[in-house]
Amino acid sequence: MDAEGPPTLCDLCLAQVCRSLSSLCSMRADGSMSLIWAPVFPQETADQLLNHMAAKEILNDTTVGIFRNCKELRLRRASIRSCPLSAEAFRLALCPHRLLELDASWVSGGLTGADIVSGLASNPECRSSLQRLSLNGLRLDWESLEANGGIHVGFSSLRGLRMLNLANTDLNDAALEDICTLPHLETLDISCSAISKLTALLECKNTLRSLIAHRQRHLDMSPARLLFVFSQLHALKHLDFSEDHFSVDDSDGRDGDETVRQLLEGSPQVLPSLVSLDISGRKRISEAAIRSFVESRSGLVFLGLLATGVSSCDFFSTQKNLKVTGEADENQVCEALRRYRDRECFIREALVHLYSLTTDTDKPQPDVLKLVVSGMQRHPTSLHIHLVATACVFNLTTQDLAEAMPISLLSSTVTQLLNTMKNFPNHQQVQKNCLLALCSDYILQEVPFDKYLAAMLVINWLSSHEDPTLQRMAVAVISILVAKLSTEEMAQFSKDIFIMKQLLAIVQQKAMVGVVDSTLKFALSALWNLTDEMPVAARNFIECRGLELYEEVLESYYTEPSIQQKVLGLLNNIAEVEELQADLMEEDLLEHILSLLQDSQVDVGVRYFAGGILAHLASRPDAWTLENELRSTVLKQLHDSIMTWTHLEREMVSYRSFNPFCPLLQTCQPAGVQLWAVWAIHLVCTQNTSHYSSMLEKEGLTELLKALAAHPSTHSDIKGLSDSILSMVEQHQMHAGAFNNQTAPQSS
C-alpha cells in the first residue's frame, strides 16, 4: 500500500471543482469568472480551493474572479504563490477579504509589492487582521505606484503584521525603518535585499523574535556596530546570518564573517536566549568557537553550518537535541535539504554531498527522495541543482530500491525527471542521468506517468546521441513505453515519420555488422509495437524502406529466433492492413516465409508469425497477385504445419484487440486461414483467460466462433479449437458471475 495514502475526499472534490470551473461559472463583462451558484463554503475549504487552483497553475486574472464573492467564499489564509495576477484582479478578488495570511511570493503578471500593500490597506479590516505577509521575489516598486497616481501606503499601515517576508526584493533602508515601527512584528526576512544598515531593527528590539538576513551583500556596517545591533535584540530567538558561499570570493563578506566570529567567541550575554543560529556559508569559523557558543546556550536546538567546514566536529555527537545542517553525515545533509528549500546555493551544496552518501546505498529512503524532488521542483531552471539531483534520483531508485517506494512518490519523481529533460534538452549529462533513472522495468511498467511525453523526449534525445550504452538504454525505454501507450496516444506517436526513421536507423546500424544485442532487440520490439493496428505507422515503415531492410535481416539472422520473431511480428502487422498487403506480394519473400513455416526445426514462435503473415495474405483471393499454385501451397502448409505445433507456456504475443481476426474467422475462408486464427486465439486465451475472454465477448468474436463451430463444412480440427475457446469463455463467465454473487450486498 502507498505509504502516503489515498487522497482525501475533500481533495478529490476540490480537484473536480478545479477541472469543472468553466462549466460551473459564467463570465463577467471584464472576462473574469463568477460561480453560477455556490453554497456558503466552510471557511477552510475556501482557502483550500484557492490553494488547489494555485498549485494546479490555473489561478489567473480570469479564474480568481470567483473569489470576488466574499459571502460564499471567505478567504483567511490565501496563497497565490507564482500565479500570474494583475494588480486590478488582485484588488477586486482578494482585498475585500478579511485576510489573516497572504503568500504572494514570486507572483507574475505585473503585480508589485506596492500594489499588494496598498490594496490590502484599502480594506480597514485587513489593516488590523493581516498577521502574515510573504512577498518573496517581488519588486516593491513604490515609485511606479506613485507615478500612476497611487498613494504611498507603507507596511506600517498593516498594523496587525507579525510575520513579514521580503526576501529577494528591492527593500531599502527607508522601507525597513517604516517596517520596524510595526507594533507586533515578530518575524522578518530581509534576505538578498538592498539593505545597507540594520540600525532600524532597534525600533522593534522588544518584539522581534526571528531575523532572517541571508546574503546581505549591500550591508555597510562595521562588525562592532552590527554585533551591537544584534546584542540589543532582546527578544531574538532565531538568527539567520548565512551567506551564499558560491558567489562570494575571499574579499567579499569579510565584515559579515568577522561579525560571526566575534559573536561565536564573544560574551555569552549577547543573544543568550538564541534557539537557532544559521551561519552556513560563512568562512573562518573554528570548532573551538562553535563548541564554546553551544555550551553557553543550553536552549540552542538548531545550528546551520553547511559549507563552513566545521559541521563534522566530534562535539556534536554528544548534543542529542541539537539539529545541524552540514555535510558530515546523511542526517545533516537531509536537514539542509529540508530547511533550505528556497536557497539554490545550499540545495546545490547539500545534493553534492548526498550523491556521495547514497552512491552505494542498499536501503530504500523515500523521505530522502522526496527531499531531492522537492529541491528540483523549487528550482526548475537551475542546471547545477538538476545535474546533481538527477544523479541522486538514480542512486535512490536503482536496482530494487524503487519497488519499496510509494507509487505516488515515484510518479511525482518521474514527472519531475521528464520536466528536467524538457528544461535542459541540450545538456548531455542531465539527459543521461534522467535516462539512467528511467531505465527501470518496475518504474516503466508499474508507475503512472505521462508515457507519451516520456517516449517523445527519449526519441528526440536518441536522434542526437550515438553512445552505445545510452543508445541501448534509450531504445529499451522506448520499446516498453510504446507498448504502454493508449490507442489514441499510439495513433499520434505513429504519425511521426521521424520516429520510424530513428528506430530503423538503429536496426540498420546493427544489421550492417551482423551483431545480436539488446539494442537491436529493443529497436525491433519498439517497431513491432509501433505498427500494431496502426496503419499509418505501417505505411511509414514501408515508405522508409523498412521492408527491404527487414527482408535482409530475415535472411541474415536465420539462426536467431528472437530476431526473426520480432521481424515477422511486424510483417504480420503489415499483412493485417488490406491496402498494404500488395507491398508484401513478393515471391521470394513469401517463399522464404513459407520455408520458415514448414521447417520443423524452426522455433514455434517464428513459425506462428510466419503463418500469420501467410494467413492474412491468403485470406483475400482477389488481392492475391502471385501464382495461384503458391497460394494453394500456402493454405495446405498452414493446416499441416499448425497441427504439429506444441502448446507454448511462455507468453509470446499480446493483442490490443481481436479485430484483425474477424475476416479470418468467416465460414467462407479456407481451412488453413481459419485454423491459424483459432489456434492464435486459443493460445492467448489459455495464457490469460480473464483478459481475452472479456475481449472476445466485447468484440463479438464468440458469435463468429459459434458460427464457425456449427458450420457443416468447418474442419474438425477448427471445430475442436473453437469449442475449446468457447468453453473457456463460458467457464470465465461462470466464475465471474459466482464472484459477483458472493460480493453483492445481501438483503435481510
Side-chain angles (χ1 to χ4, degrees):
M1 182 183 237
D2 197 328
E4 296 190 349
T8 65
L9 179 58
C10 181
D11 285 339
L12 292 171
C13 292
L14 291 171
Q16 182 60 38
V17 171
C18 289
R19 285 193 293 269
S20 309
L21 271 182
S22 58
S23 59
L24 295 173
C25 294
S26 60
M27 301 298 288
R28 296 188 182 92
D30 65 359
S32 63
M33 284 183 170
S34 173
L35 286 171
I36 297 168
W37 175 87
V40 177
F41 273 52
Q43 192 280 305
E44 296 84 355
T45 308
D47 290 343
Q48 290 172 334
L49 176 58
L50 180 73
N51 293 341
H52 262 70
M53 292 170 66
K56 301 269 185 195
E57 299 182 357
I58 61 170
L59 190 68
N60 51 45
D61 281 6
T62 300
T63 57
V64 78
I66 67 172
F67 294 98
R68 293 188 196 177
N69 188 341
C70 300
K71 291 181 179 178
E72 281 75 25
L73 295 170
R74 296 160 297 158
L75 296 173
R76 294 294 180 268
R77 293 174 172 82
S79 174
I80 56 173
R81 187 183 184 95
S82 301
C83 297
L85 292 180
S86 67
E88 182 70 2
F90 173 79
R91 183 182 64 80
L92 292 172
L94 273 80
C95 293
H97 294 267
R98 191 173 184 274
L99 296 177
L100 297 174
E101 301 177 9
L102 174 64
D103 183 356
S105 300
W106 304 103
V107 293
S108 55
L111 187 60
T112 67
D115 294 327
I116 291 171
V117 173
S118 62
L120 294 171
S122 68
N123 180 349
E125 288 189 319
C126 258
R127 284 176 177 261
S128 57
S129 69
L130 191 69
Q131 297 180 15
R132 301 174 66 85
L133 177 61
S134 181
L135 304 180
N136 188 359
L138 266 62
R139 288 184 64 237
L140 300 182
D141 202 13
W142 299 110
E143 297 79 6
S144 178
L145 181 70
E146 292 168 1
N148 292 324
I151 300 172
H152 185 136
V153 180
F155 288 99
S156 59
S157 62
L158 303 172
R159 305 301 285 174
L161 276 180
R162 294 179 180 275
M163 188 285 289
L164 183 57
N165 181 351
L166 295 172
N168 302 290
T169 67
D170 52 342
L171 178 70
N172 56 31
D173 293 344
L176 181 62
E177 289 177 10
D178 176 55
I179 289 165
C180 291
T181 64
L182 288 165
H184 307 294
L185 188 64
E186 296 178 353
T187 300
L188 179 62
D189 189 341
I190 55 173
S191 301
C192 306
S193 64
I195 297 293
S196 65
K197 306 289 183 187
L198 295 183
T199 313
L201 295 175
L202 296 175
E203 291 296 317
C204 53
K205 64 182 181 181
N206 294 320
T207 61
L208 193 64
R209 295 167 56 84
S210 176
L211 174 63
I212 305 166
H214 167 72
R215 195 182 177 192
Q216 288 300 299
R217 197 59 49 78
H218 300 281
L219 208 56
D220 184 20
M221 296 178 72
S222 68
R225 184 60 182 164
L226 196 51
L227 193 59
F228 171 76
V229 172
F230 287 159
S231 70
Q232 296 302 302
L233 302 179
H234 304 308
L236 200 68
K237 291 187 175 297
H238 308 275
L239 174 61
D240 181 343
F241 198 55
S242 55
E243 181 56 273
D244 180 352
H245 58 298
F246 282 120
S247 61
V248 177
D249 60 33
D250 288 339
S251 61
D252 286 336
R254 281 187 175 174
D255 286 345
D257 292 342
E258 178 59 21
T259 302
V260 169
R261 188 192 67 77
Q262 290 184 20
L263 173 63
L264 294 175
E265 297 177 1
S267 168
Q269 299 307 310
V270 176
L271 302 177
S273 303
L274 269 191
V275 172
S276 71
L277 174 66
D278 199 333
I279 51 174
S280 290
R282 290 294 179 186
K283 299 180 175 69
R284 296 183 284 278
I285 298 172
S286 70
E287 291 187 8
I290 289 290
R291 178 192 293 267
S292 174
F293 185 84
V294 173
E295 287 178 339
S296 64
R297 289 164 181 79
S298 58
L300 204 66
V301 295
F302 170 70
L303 193 56
L305 295 175
L306 185 68
T308 60
V310 294
S311 66
S312 57
C313 179
D314 294 339
F315 166 70
F316 292 131
S317 62
T318 64
Q319 303 296 306
K320 301 303 181 186
N321 297 323
L322 182 65
K323 290 187 181 296
V324 178
T325 57
E327 53 273 346
D329 56 37
E330 199 168 291
N331 288 333
Q332 289 188 3
V333 170
C334 288
E335 189 66 29
L337 290 172
R338 266 188 292 273
R339 288 185 180 260
Y340 302 137
R341 289 180 300 173
D342 291 323
R343 294 184 184 170
E344 179 184 355
C345 60
F346 292 157
I347 292 293
R348 174 181 168 188
E349 178 77 14
L351 286 171
V352 168
H353 294 289
L354 182 67
Y355 174 73
S356 300
L357 291 166
T358 56
T359 298
D360 298 312
T361 188
D362 59 357
K363 63 175 182 177
Q365 300 177 85
D367 291 341
V368 179
L369 179 59
K370 191 181 297 186
L371 290 171
V372 174
V373 174
S374 175
M376 298 168 76
Q377 292 168 339
R378 290 276 184 162
H379 303 277
T381 61
S382 171
L383 173 60
H384 294 298
I385 283 179
H386 286 261
L387 181 59
V388 190
T390 50
C392 290
V393 168
F394 172 72
N395 283 353
L396 293 165
T397 58
T398 190
Q399 305 299 334
D400 300 327
L401 295 176
E403 296 181 33
M405 300 283 188
I407 288 289
S408 60
L409 174 59
L410 288 176
S411 180
S412 61
T413 300
V414 175
T415 299
Q416 182 54 56
L417 289 175
L418 299 182
N419 288 336
T420 299
M421 291 182 77
K422 279 195 298 184
N423 291 339
F424 304 100
N426 300 317
H427 196 283
Q428 183 164 346
Q429 190 60 51
V430 169
Q431 297 286 321
K432 177 180 178 180
N433 292 350
C434 292
L435 198 58
L436 283 164
L438 281 175
C439 199
S440 155
D441 264 349
Y442 179 76
I443 288 175
L444 294 172
Q445 300 282 5
E446 305 297 334
V447 177
F449 60 92
D450 190 337
K451 307 288 198 300
Y452 179 81
L453 172 62
M456 290 302 298
L457 288 169
V458 175
I459 199 79
N460 286 334
W461 180 89
L462 187 62
S463 66
S464 56
H465 296 84
E466 295 184 359
D467 178 277
T469 303
L470 298 180
Q471 187 186 69
R472 176 184 59 78
M473 288 191 297
V475 176
V477 169
I478 291 167
S479 70
I480 295 173
L481 289 176
V482 168
K484 292 286 183 180
L485 297 181
S486 67
T487 303
E488 295 76 17
E489 289 172 331
M490 181 66 92
Q492 189 66 29
F493 195 73
S494 64
K495 286 180 184 176
D496 194 340
I497 200 166
F498 167 77
I499 296 170
M500 185 67 67
K501 288 179 178 178
Q502 288 299 312
L503 292 170
L504 284 172
I506 292 170
V507 173
Q508 185 169 33
Q509 178 189 31
K510 297 294 180 181
M512 283 176 63
V513 291
V515 69
V516 179
D517 64 8
S518 56
T519 303
L520 174 61
K521 292 179 181 179
F522 284 132
L524 292 171
S525 293
L527 286 162
W528 184 5
N529 284 321
L530 193 60
T531 54
D532 184 16
E533 291 192 50
M534 289 295 152
V536 173
R539 189 176 291 106
N540 285 344
F541 175 84
I542 292 171
E543 289 179 4
C544 293
R545 304 188 64 80
L547 202 53
E548 293 88 335
L549 174 61
Y550 267 45
E551 287 181 45
E552 294 174 13
V553 171
L554 204 55
E555 292 181 9
S556 55
Y557 288 88
Y558 190 84
T559 59
E560 297 292 340
S562 63
I563 302 295
Q564 286 189 310
Q565 189 170 306
K566 297 177 194 303
V567 169
L568 292 169
L570 184 143
L571 297 181
N572 209 110
N573 290 342
I574 293 176
E576 292 173 2
V577 184
E578 289 187 357
E579 58 266 31
L580 299 180
Q581 288 176 348
D583 291 279
L584 295 174
M585 288 292 178
E586 295 180 20
E587 188 170 350
D588 289 345
L589 173 61
L590 295 195
E591 285 185 348
H592 182 75
I593 293 173
L594 180 61
S595 70
L596 294 174
L597 173 72
Q598 294 171 306
D599 192 343
S600 60
Q601 302 301 309
V602 172
D603 184 84
V604 172
V606 174
R607 299 174 74 190
Y608 169 83
F609 288 109
I613 296 166
L614 297 171
H616 280 287
L617 295 178
S619 69
R620 297 178 63 225
D622 294 345
W624 184 272
T625 58
L626 301 176
E627 294 291 333
N628 285 329
E629 184 181 347
L630 178 58
R631 180 171 180 270
S632 300
T633 303
V634 164
L635 293 172
K636 181 178 184 307
Q637 288 303 318
L638 272 171
H639 200 129
D640 293 347
S641 298
I642 291 169
M643 295 312 299
T644 67
W645 293 353
T646 55
H647 179 73
L648 295 171
E649 295 297 331
R650 62 184 173 84
E651 187 172 327
M652 178 183 66
V653 64
S654 62
Y655 290 104
R656 288 180 183 268
S657 77
F658 283 130
N659 291 332
F661 288 82
C662 293
L664 310 185
L665 293 173
Q666 303 300 317
T667 54
C668 61
Q669 287 288 4
V673 171
Q674 295 171 339
L675 183 60
W676 181 85
V678 294
W679 196 94
I681 294 170
H682 187 271
L683 171 67
V684 294
C685 282
T686 305
Q687 294 173 337
N688 192 342
T689 306
S690 173
H691 176 68
Y692 288 109
S693 292
S694 300
M695 190 186 290
L696 284 169
E697 278 288 300
K698 183 179 179 181
E699 296 177 0
L701 266 78
T702 49
E703 296 305 314
L704 287 176
L705 289 167
K706 287 175 184 177
L708 197 59
H711 199 276
S713 65
T714 300
H715 195 283
S716 58
D717 295 334
I718 298 166
K719 284 186 177 183
L721 283 171
S722 297
D723 287 337
S724 178
I725 295 167
L726 291 168
S727 176
M728 279 190 275
V729 173
E730 188 177 344
Q731 289 282 331
H732 170 69
Q733 289 173 333
M734 288 174 59
H735 287 143
F739 176 77
N740 290 335
N741 288 335
Q742 289 173 4
T743 56
Q746 301 295 311
S747 59
S748 57

